[in-house]
Amino acid sequence: MSKPDQELIAECLSGQTHAFGDLVARYQNRLFNTLVGVLGSVEDAHDVAQEAFVNAFQKLDTFRGHSAFYSWLFRIALNSAVSQKRKQRAVVSIDAAREQSGDEPIDRHPAARPEHALETNERQIAVRAALAELAEEFRTALILKEMEDLSYEEISEIVGCPIGTVRSRIHRARAELRVKLQGLLREPCDS
Amino acid sequence: MKQPFSEEILSAYIDDELPAQERAAVERWIEESPEAREKLDGFRRLSGLFADLPRNEVPPEFPTNVLQLAERRMLLPEARPVQARQSLRRWALAGGSSIAAALVLGLMLQAYLPDGAPHQKAVRFDDGERPAGGPEVAVRSRALSEGETQDLAPAVASNKLSSLRGALPTYEQGAGPAAPTPAEDKLDRDSPESGIGRSAGARGERSKSAESVAALAVISPDQRKQIDQAMDEIGKTPEDENVVAVVKFHVIDRAEGLVLLQDAFADSQILVESEQAGEEGRSEGKIAAKSAAPGAVGNEALYVVAEPEQLRAAIATILAREKFALGLEIGDPIEIAALDDISKKRVQQVDRELISNVAGNRPTAPEDAKRSADAQAASERQKRERAKSDGKPGLETAAPALAEKKSLSKAQAAGREPQKPAEPKQKDNARPDAELKTPVPADKEAIEAPASQARQTVVNLPPEAGNQRGRAGTPRKESPSQKSAHRNSQRAPIFTKELAERDKDGDNDERAPALMRVLIVVEESAK
């Protein structure tokens, strides 16, 4: 049976570095996939995830256990992601979406907007591209909800804002996505 | 008609984030209102799109990479954080190679040290000295008495030992320590502590195991300070191509020490350069180093040009091995002109090649790195082919050939099959994803990466240089050669500055550090 996070943290703080490896293995893919969604780039997500784990390792003695280790880790990762994006002035683009699918880019011509992207890969590309166009705070909140199924409270801990703000951000993200992906949703635009 | 609830409430409803009373009211509204049902359906279909998104997985070596990077940060607290995609490549080139150096040197030293090595003590960072908080991290070991060994908490000691097993930790999920490679297995004989996270048990047990494990050590704060001072001193050396800083290692066996030093630097991608090329060149260098009979005092030294981080890591690796390096000392800089003709020629050859590389091939920004690396690789291939057709390999071929050989030999030493060439990518555009799905081991990256700029070569030291005594971290009196250097620095080409000017956009991010030139002298000292 796997050990609880707190036990692994205690072991790590007592000098058993390998325990941190268990924590990394436990959360690496969740963190990585969330970061892919937030950053829009597999490579950047890998780097930021790695950096986040290293930072978490170095700051582990400051972790008080008031929140879940996972929330704490995600907060570190998102801070790293934000600072990296600022530094790189990275633009999450459809190219990044293509990187993740390994497929050819969809045509940027208006006639080939997401509403025409019906194949699975194209649908994924369209979703990634639409996500990339969202404001960062909306995108982050929605990804933490939809991909990680975190509660509003957990998301508020991670992004550092009130629960009401999280609810609002998630709704606004959905509303925007609904417009951008109306072709995929086969739903008339009502706003 | 006004809607009784906002869309935001509906959004929270599908997330199950409404209080019971409000939830019940919303459900009634949904039953009554087709419009509400349509909106709800839209949100649910949107969620379905997320469910279709592919989930990626990080490479299996990810936890190990994290642990190694974390420990490296602890060892080199001033090391810059990993930045974006630079990290993977530069990690393979500089950081990774330093780690590899530590690993390989660790294994070599374990094999080198005689049985019945002295007991070890794992030294704990004092709270005020621990670089960045976090857990205790062992980075190296050093031989101390059994009494000292027993002062340590078992958990900490276990960590030290485990970390030192291969100089840096590896991680295997759910298995505690990774399965030992043949080399590690050799080291693990008679030792109950054979991996990271393995409990040491009682102190007595740990001490017993300590007896059988070859000398392991940690970098003590004093040693770290010593390295900092040494790096400062090297940095203060006049920026003059005619003058080179001198670092002296005091060792027990000079001949063996020089060979080990050479290998340690080579494993840090500080490639061996000599008049002979390739395999031959390296052998020649080692023969030169070994030519002094054990116990005799020769005058060979290593001329090393490397990035500060590479130097620091290699010096730390060497210095930490107390069984090998008894101390570090800064000597007076010496003038290249004082070297004999062969040595001068070798030094100049290294310098010429580096300047040529910087001027011609060295990438100036991350986005240019791949293109430049490809160009450099093509250039190296051409040189190799040209040299082969001449029947005499060119000097430039030594470095990449050696790098490739060493990478392969490292893989073999670790009990792995040499890496096969990567599968051709389906599409260039799919590169990042493909890389992650088919992770490339560090050794593989080292093979494919452009050759390191760093070089080392064996030179003969002028007799008087060996007698100059310095002291690590203390200001030196200006020697005649330094005075000359100061004079010369006003007119001589300054290539360290030339190398430093690579940060075109001034954000200090993609700049590779300037190379440092240093003459590594090995002196035999009584323990």
Side-chain angles (χ1 to χ4, degrees), chain A residues 12-26 28-29 32-33 36 41-44 46-47 49-51 53-61 84 87-88 95 98-105 120 123-125 127-128 131 142-143 145-148 150-153 163-164 167-168 170-171 173-175 177-178 181 184-188 190, chain B residues 7-9 11-12 14-15 17-18 22 38-39 41-43 45-47 49-50 52-60 62-63 65-67 69-71 73-74 81-89 130 132-138 155-156 158-160 163 169-177 196-197 199 427 429-433 435-437 507 509:
Chain A
C12 186
L13 288 172
S14 72
Q16 297 178 49
T17 316
H18 185 267
F20 193 78
D22 288 341
L23 284 169
V24 174
R26 183 171 295 176
Q28 59 187 15
N29 287 329
F32 173 59
N33 279 299
V36 170
S41 158
V42 168
E43 198 168 12
D44 288 347
H46 180 278
D47 288 344
Q50 181 172 272
E51 186 64 26
F53 277 116
V54 171
N55 286 341
F57 181 84
Q58 291 180 307
K59 297 174 185 171
L60 199 58
D61 57 348
Q84 171 161 320
K87 204 160 190 170
Q88 291 187 332
D95 293 330
R98 187 192 61 222
E99 280 182 5
Q100 293 154 34
S101 71
D103 211 332
E104 288 300 315
T120 306
R123 182 157 41 227
Q124 290 168 1
I125 291 167
V127 172
R128 295 280 190 196
L131 269 174
L142 187 63
I143 283 170
K145 180 70 232 172
E146 295 287 7
M147 295 187 73
E148 288 303 318
L150 297 180
S151 69
Y152 285 4
E153 186 179 0
I163 290 176
R167 189 173 88 169
S168 168
I170 289 174
H171 166 248
R174 282 177 173 147
L177 277 185
R178 190 175 54 190
L181 299 170
L184 291 180
L185 297 169
R186 293 176 184 164
E187 179 185 82
D190 59 355
Chain B
E7 269 195 7
E8 187 176 317
I9 296 291
S11 169
I14 66 163
D15 290 334
E17 292 280 353
L18 294 179
E22 194 173 16
E38 190 179 338
K39 285 182 177 174
D41 187 48
F43 283 146
R45 274 188 281 165
L46 195 60
S47 293
L49 292 178
F50 282 93
D52 288 342
L53 288 178
R55 298 303 200 264
N56 296 300
E57 289 192 356
V58 296
F62 186 85
N65 290 345
V66 167
L67 290 177
L69 185 57
E71 293 213 349
R73 287 278 175 82
M74 298 299 233
V82 178
Q83 279 302 327
R85 61 203 58 182
Q86 274 184 298
S87 62
L88 290 175
R89 194 145 294 142
R130 200 145 29 112
E136 295 277 354
V137 174
V156 173
S158 170
N159 179 41
K160 309 299 181 191
S163 294
T170 58
Y171 172 80
E172 193 163 298
Q173 190 169 2
I196 292 170
S199 171
K427 290 174 188 174
N429 290 339
R431 178 181 52 82
D433 204 28
E435 279 180 0
L436 285 177
K437 285 175 179 170
D507 69 356
D509 192 25

Side-chain angles (χ1 to χ4, degrees), chain A residues 34-189:
Chain A
T34 300
L35 288 170
V36 170
V38 171
L39 292 166
S41 158
V42 168
E43 198 168 12
D44 288 347
H46 180 278
D47 288 344
V48 171
Q50 181 172 272
E51 186 64 26
F53 277 116
V54 171
N55 286 341
F57 181 84
Q58 291 180 307
K59 297 174 185 171
L60 199 58
D61 57 348
T62 68
F63 177 64
R64 300 285 170 237
H66 298 317
S67 61
F69 173 74
Y70 181 71
S71 301
W72 183 70
L73 174 68
F74 265 53
R75 190 161 188 165
I76 290 174
L78 290 176
N79 285 339
S80 299
V82 167
S83 58
Q84 171 161 320
K85 289 195 79 165
R86 279 193 195 128
K87 204 160 190 170
Q88 291 187 332
R89 296 186 300 277
V91 176
V92 182
S93 66
I94 203 158
D95 293 330
R98 187 192 61 222
E99 280 182 5
Q100 293 154 34
S101 71
D103 211 332
E104 288 300 315
I106 59 172
D107 191 347
R108 289 169 186 271
H109 189 274
R113 288 276 179 196
E115 57 265 31
H116 297 286
L118 299 176
E119 297 298 322
T120 306
N121 280 345
E122 287 183 338
R123 182 157 41 227
Q124 290 168 1
I125 291 167
V127 172
R128 295 280 190 196
L131 269 174
E133 290 173 11
L134 295 180
E136 189 177 298
E137 59 270 27
F138 296 170
R139 180 170 62 244
T140 300
L142 187 63
I143 283 170
L144 290 172
K145 180 70 232 172
E146 295 287 7
M147 295 187 73
E148 288 303 318
D149 198 24
L150 297 180
S151 69
Y152 285 4
E153 186 179 0
E154 288 171 312
I155 296 171
S156 77
E157 281 174 4
I158 291 170
V159 301
C161 67
I163 290 176
T165 306
V166 170
R167 189 173 88 169
S168 168
R169 285 179 181 179
I170 289 174
H171 166 248
R172 289 185 65 180
R174 282 177 173 147
E176 279 190 37
L177 277 185
R178 190 175 54 190
V179 174
K180 293 176 190 298
L181 299 170
Q182 56 184 298
L184 291 180
L185 297 169
R186 293 176 184 164
E187 179 185 82
C189 180

Side-chain angles (χ1 to χ4, degrees), chain B residues 232-252:
Chain B
D232 285 347
E233 289 292 317
I234 296 169
K236 286 177 192 168
T237 305
E239 292 173 336
D240 179 353
E241 68 172 3
N242 296 315
V243 177
V244 62
V246 173
V247 170
K248 295 177 183 176
F249 280 102
H250 294 275
V251 300
I252 296 167

Side-chain angles (χ1 to χ4, degrees), chain B residues 439-468:
Chain B
V440 181
D443 286 345
K444 177 67 181 171
E445 286 203 30
I447 292 168
E448 292 184 342
S452 166
Q453 300 294 309
R455 295 286 186 276
Q456 59 167 311
T457 191
V458 176
V459 298
N460 294 317
L461 209 57
E464 67 274 15
N467 299 326
Q468 289 171 352

Side-chain angles (χ1 to χ4, degrees), chain B residues 223 249-252 318-328:
Chain B
Q223 286 173 316
F249 280 102
H250 294 275
V251 300
I252 296 167
I318 295 159
L319 192 62
R321 297 290 173 165
E322 193 167 297
K323 186 75 173 78
F324 162 56
L326 300 176
L328 174 67

